Amino acid sequence: MSDGQRFGGGRLGGGLLVAGTTSDAGKSVVTAGICRWLVRRGVKVAPFKGQNMSLNSFVTREGAEIGRAQAMQAQAARVEPTALMNPVLLKPGGDRSSQVVLMGRPVGELSARGYHGDGTGPGRQETLLSTVVDCLEQLRSTYDAVICEGAGSPAEINLRRSDIVNMGIARAARLPVVVVGDIDRGGVFASFFGTTALLSPEDQALIAGYLVNKFRGDVSLLEPGLEMLRGLTGRATYGVLPFRHGLGIDEEDGLRVSLRGAVRESVVAPPYGEEVLRVAVCAVPLMSNFTDVDALAAEPGVVVRFVDRPDEIADADLVVVPGTRGTVRALAWLRERGLADALLRRAAEGRPVLGICGGYQLLGEHIEDDVEYRAGAGGVCVDGLGLLPVRVEFAREKTLARPVGEALGERVEGYEIHHGVASVEGGDPFLVDSGGRRLDGCRSGQVWGTHWHGSLESDGFRRAFLRTVATAAGRRFVPAPDTSFASLREEQLDLLGDLIEEHADTDALLRLIESGAPSGLPFIAPGAP
């Protein structure tokens, strides 16, 4: 009997919630690793995260916006991502508010108090629990197993009443919970014990045990502590995962998190040609989908760095202005820091600049925004940098699409996530259809702009674009002819699967997924207040 045949039998599929002692403990990568390990064993598996807060998002084939982490976890599970896998997505926009994306579509802006509630009545979050549970049940009725990812810590006692992503969903769906702790930060035993001890008896009954992440050194030295932890909590540790460079996927937010992925963290391979190509990415506020530049960093001889000062882009061969959730705010930031003037000088000298999504919009001539900027408090009209003949007006309806076209004679695939609608009034087309008609974007001299995220993952186009950049920069750089970004992603996901298979107690994990948390787990005082 295969592992896939162990599940099912006319009931909801098996499940597991991967929680963490903190944000960035490794929940996303562990979830992806478990998905890849299971699918290699013949289990039909899907990822799930009830609520995600992230500026890194993706568009599914049905046109729904979800977190990029869940899209990559779906790739790990070898299934097509859908809105069911991430029913609630929060996109921070500054001023203590976030755009709420429900089932892949934006439904409004809410403050943290409006979302979580002020203690006198339910917030919007509590009302969404039934939607989240329904999505999970739909997945469990279709798949052998669903591996759920929590958010932050399950012991956020101030938010427990309205929780829909940690113990709230675990209780509603009777999911066993494994808590991941980052031992590289220190204090992992206290974190495991304290996380458990701050939960109510009903929540603690679902905490099956722990998973140590990012361990460096001799595991035998850790074993006495693991035995003491078991004695204190009555719970097993399901594995000690070693620290590995380059075992990240498209996680949630924070530049430090982004730079830990395999492509971003690996040593730059020697150039295929004579010289390297240097890429500077402006670290604008509310930066979104900065994973766009991962494909550049995957190329041998391409050095990518994030910058926030004019002198840091002076020697760059290409400057990328990435996407942002606050185009007008990012434009002001560029001007305040002197980066806007540096970009103007580059354009005048014929040195390459690429703007993506919000970065494309601010390279234009004029922006009218009454959607993102101070949402609900009146809009703003500002002049852009004027490097592209484009005028942008923000629409209430968000564009969510998975377009396909051509550029520089190569096929290009991408995805669009934006409120800004660009009216192009000159320049050359950038992305076109098979008949040469403009689909998106604009080029003026060596300044390029497009709304399409992910376009640089198209290998042929990326190489053609880098050849163009190298020529304009006067660099003897030649793109390697055999770099496949999709293959690199697959290798990365296989490494995550290997990590689980080789260093976790997989038999015990299978029992948890199939049968739930062990009965009779002891209560650890003091419990939730």
Side-chain angles (χ1 to χ4, degrees), residues 230-307:
R230 180 159 196 155
L232 289 166
T233 67
R235 289 159 174 85
T237 296
Y238 288 89
V240 177
L241 307 183
F243 186 96
R244 291 284 189 272
H245 285 285
L247 287 180
I249 61 170
D250 296 337
E251 297 182 81
E252 294 177 357
D253 279 317
L255 187 56
R256 181 174 57 84
V257 173
S258 129
L259 293 176
R260 269 216 309 278
V263 172
R264 290 156 287 195
E265 192 177 56
S266 58
V267 176
V268 176
Y272 186 79
E274 296 180 47
E275 294 184 317
V276 301
L277 203 67
R278 294 165 293 185
V279 179
V281 184
C282 296
V284 296
L286 297 174
M287 185 165 40
S288 62
N289 289 74
F290 38 80
T291 49
D292 283 330
V293 301
D294 285 358
L296 294 177
E299 287 285 348
V302 175
V303 181
V304 177
R305 65 184 188 273
F306 287 79
V307 304

Side-chain angles (χ1 to χ4, degrees), residues 263 269-270 272 294-302 456-463 466 477-489 491:
V263 172
Y272 186 79
D294 285 358
L296 294 177
E299 287 285 348
V302 175
L456 293 166
E457 295 180 19
S458 299
D459 296 330
F461 165 66
R462 181 180 66 253
R463 287 192 278 268
L466 290 176
F477 169 85
V478 179
D482 57 354
T483 301
S484 168
F485 188 73
S487 295
L488 288 173
R489 283 292 197 200
E491 291 173 11

Side-chain angles (χ1 to χ4, degrees), residues 99-116:
Q99 182 180 67
V100 181
V101 179
L102 179 62
M103 295 304 297
R105 296 288 174 180
V107 295
E109 297 271 342
L110 280 178
S111 67
R113 184 175 293 273
Y115 186 69
H116 292 290

Side-chain angles (χ1 to χ4, degrees), residues 404-407 409-413 455 458-461:
V404 178
E406 297 179 4
E410 300 285 348
R411 175 183 168 87
V412 184
E413 296 184 30
S455 59
S458 299
D459 296 330
F461 165 66

